[in-house]
Structure formats: C-alpha cells, structure tokens
Amino acid sequence: ARMYTVDSNFVHTFAGNPLDRAQHLRKDQAALGALQRSDTSRFLVFHQLKVATNAAGSLAWIPPSALPSELKSLVFLGLENGAGRFAASLAAAEPPSPIETFSDCRQAVAGLSVEDAGIVSQARAMLDWHQRNPYCAVCGNPSRASRGGQVRQCDSCNKHIFPRTDPVAIMLIQNDAKGDFCLLGKSQGRMAQSNFYSALAGFVDQGESLEEAVRREVKEEAGISVGQVSYHSSQPWPFPSSLMIGCHGIALNQEIVIDTEEMADVAWFDRTQVLSAIAGDNPNLRIPGPGAIAHHLIKAWANA
C-alpha cells in the first residue's frame, strides 16, 4: 500500500494557536480581573460571530480602554509573552464605531497568519458555545461563565458544564493497495449540481472507534467496504466546534452503491484527474481549497 506522510512543519488552518492557555490563572478570579484591566492586555471583538479586522485584513486587537461597554460575553484566551489575550462578543444589534469592520471567520483566515487563524478558531468556538448554552442542562436554570470562560457553572445545582468538541472522521479512500483511484463524493444540497467533490466525512458515533467510524461512513454513503485505515492529521473546525480527524483507507471492493438521500454522487477519480483539479486546471472536477483538511488528504494521495 502507498504511504502518506505529513510535513512536520505543516499546520492546518485553524490549528496554529500560539497562545499559552494559562490553566494556572483560570481559577484565580482576582488575577484574571487584574489581567483584564491591564494596559498590556488586548481584546479581539466579535459581532454575530464575525471577527473584527482592520483595513489590511489583520486582526483588530484593541486595548481595554477601547472595549465597548455593552458585551454579550467575554472569554480569556490565554497569554502571549505574558500579556493577556481575550475575546469579546458584542451585545448590540449594530456594532459601534470605530469597530466597524467584521469579517466572516472562514473568509478572514485567508489573509491571516497560521497563528492568528488558530486564535480565531479558539475565540469563535468559545464565544459560540457560551451563546448556545445560557442554561444548565441538568436543572434548566441560568448558568454563568467561569474560569475565564473555560466552563459554565450553575449556581442552582452547582453543576459545571464543559464545552464539547464533536469528532468528525474525514477520509480519502483509494481503490486498492496500489491506489490508482480515489473515492470522492458530493452531498445533496446546494452543491449537488456542481462539479465540486470532496473526501467523504461523518461524525463519530458514541462508543465507536475512529477506524470503525471511517468504515461505517464509507459503507453507508458509498457501499464500499474499507480494510486498512491510517491516520493522516487533524484540523479544528470552529463551525461551531468540530475536530476533523483525517484518515486514508483502502477499499475492499470497487462497486459503488450511493446513499441517494445524503449523497448526490460518489465516484472514483484517477490520479491524473485529481492532480489537474489540485492545479485548478480541470473544468470537470473541483476540490476543496488548502484551508480544508480534505484538500491535504487528497493531495497526499495524489502526490504519493
């Protein structure tokens, strides 16, 4: 079987967060409060989960003195060279001036460094989680942010609620041990009539290993049985909070039986077709761009 390797220096989009998450500070409310007021601290403001950017497209960090008075939530991201870094979500329907340029996080990261994209990933996922979980899941009473936003606490039943990350298996399957063809599909929905194909993917079930999830999803979506499964790399995906776990696998049969409720098409593509799609030269096949782990799974197979 062909071997797929990852450049040890390569970091996926959203995976390059350089901040020290400073676990030692999170239980010290007085220290966090002092850090929040410090002139060296900086805040990254979000409005409707869009991130503040400047005219150059970089992240628009602001000092405590410029922070709007009305906030929906505030979370501690960590430390950068000892200085505090926070993210805040605006409560107002309209953002105040001069914080007026807000970009969709998927679009903003195209112009950001690997490190800044990683910070956006953490910030967006945390703020979205707090927005979605204002009440205790046990007793239904209001909960509040604690430990710098790392958890939520219910003062009625003393329950601590931790954020969840949903594991997603995403896999590039080759036709046999030699691997001259790979399996790509497109889902039902707005892209069903397009020429856009990607690696198959699906959430990992409870009580299921990653290898089992890969085999189950490919069998369900394409009718293909998978034997050997190997890990490639992973990518945090903060929409809202998933971890994409990338794998390669080897098919045990080649006849495709499509789940037409979920998939618009699944097909085998040879290496020449895929290489031209990676180069952007194939009018009949488009694949995800470099910001997605699917791109790198496909590219690793095509260049093996």
Side-chain angles (χ1 to χ4, degrees), residues 204-223:
V204 179
D205 280 353
Q206 292 177 316
E208 183 177 53
S209 71
L210 177 59
E211 292 83 359
E212 289 170 334
V214 167
R215 295 183 179 111
R216 174 183 54 78
E217 284 289 343
V218 176
K219 187 69 172 179
E220 289 175 356
E221 295 180 353

Side-chain angles (χ1 to χ4, degrees), residues 53-102:
T53 54
N54 59 29
S58 301
L59 297 182
W61 292 96
I62 61 173
S65 59
L67 196 64
S69 58
E70 188 178 1
L71 296 175
K72 182 182 297 182
S73 57
L74 177 68
V75 298
F76 173 55
L77 300 175
L79 299 174
E80 184 174 29
N81 298 321
R85 296 292 180 262
F86 296 82
S89 181
L90 298 180
E94 296 296 330
S97 181
I99 308 172
E100 54 190 14
T101 303
F102 288 87

Side-chain angles (χ1 to χ4, degrees), residues 11 43 56-57 100 114 131 162 192 241 250 261 284 297:
V11 179
F43 295 77
E100 54 190 14
V114 168
Q131 182 174 310
F162 291 86
S241 188
I250 299 176
E261 285 191 12
N284 300 313
L297 291 172

Side-chain angles (χ1 to χ4, degrees), residues 100-114:
E100 54 190 14
T101 303
F102 288 87
S103 305
D104 179 272
C105 292
R106 291 180 181 86
Q107 299 171 356
V109 296
L112 298 179
S113 66
V114 168

